Amino acid sequence: AINMVPKAEEALRADPAQLAIPNGRGWTLLHEHALAGSEGIVKLMLELGADPTATTPDGRNAHELATAAGWKRTAALLAG
């Protein structure tokens, strides 16, 4: 697998506001990467201030998304 953390870190440090901007479905980048099990990216986003309590329009937070998808290590990062 390609390690995308360095590129993501560069982009997020250049524009950290994008961490809080929901996409067209109302999901933040943290929601998307939690669901995908992107452990390194999720850890980076949390370090840069992403809000783990933010919810999707149907009320799920990033921890719940990672847990539902079976990503135990990613869910552990988001547990708190």
Side-chain angles (χ1 to χ4, degrees), residues 5-75:
V5 174
K7 284 283 189 195
E9 182 172 9
E10 182 181 322
L12 291 171
R13 286 195 186 278
D15 185 12
Q18 64 185 307
L19 288 170
I21 300 170
N23 65 16
R25 293 181 6 198
W27 287 37
T28 65
L29 287 171
L30 187 62
H31 294 135
E32 296 283 350
H33 287 280
L35 183 63
S38 303
E39 183 180 347
I41 303 277
V42 166
K43 183 177 180 198
L44 170 68
M45 289 180 175
L46 292 172
E47 290 169 359
L48 294 177
D51 181 3
T53 67
T55 57
T56 61
D58 65 353
R60 295 177 294 167
N61 64 33
H63 176 260
E64 292 166 327
L65 294 167
T67 300
W71 300 115
K72 291 179 182 169
R73 292 188 337 202
T74 302

